Amino acid sequence: MNDSVKSVLDFKHVGKSFKQKNVLGDMTFSISENENKIIALLGANGAGKTTTINMILGRQIPDQGSITLFGMNPTIPEVRQCVGSTPQNVEFPDGIK
């Protein structure tokens, strides 16, 4: 990769299993700063989309491989300050409109 291009997100050989069921296997991709791309995670139920997002947000740890967000570990809260996400199931307290 060109040294002048900064990586926003790097997945390197990431794998994740739950109860011995492989959810992600050897996933590798990167997103660089100022890329003019739209990124979409597509797949059937159980394909690992939510798990991938949870790992990007530092909510889950991969069983294998590495993930960096802005060059750092996504489990560090300060790293995620520039990331916005909307949860799959949004529940607002009563009275909020």
Side-chain angles (χ1 to χ4, degrees), residues 22-89:
N22 189 29
V23 178
L24 294 176
D26 199 26
M27 178 184 272
T28 299
F29 71 94
S30 65
I31 300 172
S32 298
E33 184 178 62
N34 297 326
E35 278 193 88
N36 293 321
K37 295 182 179 180
I38 295 173
I39 310 299
L41 295 175
L42 302 174
N45 289 346
K49 301 176 298 293
T50 300
T51 299
T52 300
I53 292 170
N54 284 333
M55 288 192 292
I56 292 169
L57 298 175
R59 294 181 186 145
Q60 291 178 351
I61 308 296
D63 295 333
Q64 66 186 41
S66 65
I67 301 170
T68 57
L69 183 61
F70 303 108
M72 295 180 275
N73 187 327
T75 61
I76 301 169
E78 293 80 13
V79 175
R80 298 188 308 265
Q81 288 181 349
C82 294
V83 176
S85 69
T86 301
Q88 190 168 290
N89 299 319

